[in-house]
């Protein structure tokens, strides 16, 4: 979901402790986990599979039995992903070097159509921007345009490319950060683009109106990933990337108590899965 993974978690922790801090860590309320092999025989494409969240979700989907098509823009990173999930099964992994955020939506879609109708798509792409704290008034026009392209326009292209590849009974799971819901001082471009892409996905849901694949928008808090853990940005209160993958697998399979909820919040383990934001 981003390259500067430590900054988002740090900002979120400093400004919004009330959403996550607890003395004890209860079980993950509301997260249904009985989904072993629920994706057997299904094909799921993961866009952004080489990121910290993407690799964990890919591994979880493989453990649920899916054929996972992991996409990314860098062949070397896809090779490292394949090595990391090598022993995860019973699912199988295919890798595709492709930019699903490319403006050439027709060309990318034609290339990926060789996979056949997809049962699921997970979109976990994006850019958290510069690690430096920058106020709105000090943000340059160039940085604004770059973030719009990387963290909003790319999602528009990905939705336009991938949604038509899904079977009518399939599901698309899109991830946005909780900065879509709150003031995000000194990282306002991240919050603004998260809010805009959340609105984009919610509007797509309304336009399809049950006539196409199911669309899910997951608004997430800071997530435990291998890259974050490596730099000391970690908390047992956070969901892990594999937790997200297991939850996405249930949604794609149409199972669990949240399969009918197009908008969901996964902010902390103790709050579990919610359909309304915390107050």
């Amino acid at each position: 979901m981003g390259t500067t993974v430590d900054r988002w978690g740090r900002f979120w922790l400093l400004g919004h402790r009330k959403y996550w801090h607890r003395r004890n860590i209860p079980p993950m309320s509301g997260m249904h986990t009985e989904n072993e092999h629920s994706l057997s025989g299904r094909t799921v494409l993961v866009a952004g599979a080489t990121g910290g969240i993407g690799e964990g979700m890919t591994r979880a989907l493989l453990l649920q039995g899916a054929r996972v098509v992991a996409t990314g823009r860098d062949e070397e990173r896809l090779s490292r992903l394949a090595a990391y999930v090598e022993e995860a099964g019973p699912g199988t992994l295919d890798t595709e070097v492709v930019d699903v955020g490319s403006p050439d939506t027709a060309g990318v879609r034609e290339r990926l159509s060789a996979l056949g109708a997809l049962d699921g798509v997970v979109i976990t792409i994006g850019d958290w921007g510069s690690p430096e704290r920058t106020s709105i008034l000090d943000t340059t026009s160039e940085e604004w345009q770059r973030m719009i392209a990387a963290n909003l326009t790319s999602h528009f292209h990905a939705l336009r490319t991938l949604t038509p590849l899904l079977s009518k009974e399939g599901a698309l799971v899109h991830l946005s950060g909780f900065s879509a819901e709150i003031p995000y001082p000194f990282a306002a471009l991240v919050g603004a683009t998260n809010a805009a892409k959340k609105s984009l996905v919610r509007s797509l849901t309304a336009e399809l109106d049950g006539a196409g694949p199911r669309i899910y928008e997951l608004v997430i808090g800071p997530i435990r990933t291998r890259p974050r853990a490596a730099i000391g940005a970690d908390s047992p209160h956070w969901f892990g990337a594999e937790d997200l993958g297991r939850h996405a697998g249930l949604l794609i399979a149409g199972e669990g108590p949240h399969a009918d909820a197009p908008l969901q919040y996964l902010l902390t383990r103790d709050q579990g899965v919610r359909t309304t934001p915390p107050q």
Side-chain angles (χ1 to χ4, degrees):
M1 284 278 291
T3 55
T4 56
V5 291
D6 58 327
R7 188 194 67 167
W8 194 77
R10 184 172 70 250
F11 280 8
W12 204 86
L13 288 173
L14 290 173
H16 307 282
R17 292 178 184 272
K18 68 177 181 178
Y19 294 118
W20 70 272
H21 184 69
R22 299 291 187 276
R23 180 173 298 174
N24 298 310
I25 305 170
M28 290 181 289
S29 60
M31 178 166 276
H32 190 79
T33 57
E34 296 178 4
N35 59 333
E36 184 177 6
H37 303 175
S38 62
L39 297 177
S40 179
R42 303 178 195 244
T43 299
V44 180
L45 184 146
V46 179
T50 60
I53 293 177
E55 68 171 22
M57 295 188 75
T58 295
R59 188 174 188 277
L61 293 166
L62 289 168
L63 290 171
Q64 292 169 74
R67 175 200 177 197
V68 178
V69 180
T71 70
R73 295 174 293 181
D74 188 296
E75 186 170 5
E76 183 177 346
R77 292 184 66 184
L78 283 169
S79 295
R80 290 199 297 267
L81 169 68
Y84 172 64
V85 302
E86 184 176 11
E87 297 183 4
T92 59
L93 179 73
D94 296 328
T95 60
E96 289 281 345
V97 181
V98 63
D99 181 6
V100 298
S102 165
D104 182 19
T105 54
V108 176
R109 190 186 309 132
E110 181 179 2
R111 174 179 170 183
L112 293 175
S113 65
L115 300 170
L118 300 174
D119 301 290
V121 165
V122 174
I123 299 179
T124 171
I125 60 176
D127 184 352
W128 297 127
S130 168
E132 301 299 324
R133 291 168 59 89
T134 306
S135 72
I136 294 173
L137 300 182
D138 290 330
T139 298
T140 66
S141 296
E142 291 76 17
E143 179 65 6
W144 169 265
Q145 293 297 335
R146 192 193 69 77
M147 275 296 289
I148 293 294
N151 216 35
L152 178 58
T153 305
S154 62
H155 288 255
F156 164 68
H157 291 150
L159 290 169
R160 196 168 63 170
T161 295
L162 299 175
T163 304
L165 295 175
L166 282 158
S167 70
K168 187 176 180 180
E169 296 76 27
L172 183 147
V173 179
H174 180 272
L175 275 61
S176 293
F178 188 56
S179 59
E181 306 284 334
I182 55 177
Y184 213 48
F186 302 103
L189 271 65
V190 177
T193 51
N194 268 316
K197 65 188 182 184
K198 175 194 170 191
S199 177
L200 195 68
V201 174
R202 299 288 288 136
S203 295
L204 175 61
T205 303
E207 289 173 1
L208 292 175
D209 194 24
R214 289 166 286 124
I215 308 293
Y216 297 100
E217 173 73 354
L218 304 187
V219 179
I220 61 173
I223 302 299
R224 305 183 80 176
T225 65
R226 288 198 308 155
R228 275 185 171 160
I231 60 173
D234 195 18
S235 170
H237 298 277
W238 300 349
F239 283 112
E242 291 192 31
D243 294 328
L244 295 185
R246 285 188 288 270
H247 185 64
L250 277 173
L251 297 178
I252 291 167
E255 299 176 359
H258 301 97
D260 293 329
L263 175 62
Q264 303 177 22
Y265 294 82
L266 291 85
L267 304 184
T268 64
R269 293 172 64 90
D270 54 337
Q271 291 183 338
V273 182
R274 304 171 56 106
T275 56
T276 57
Q279 301 301 314

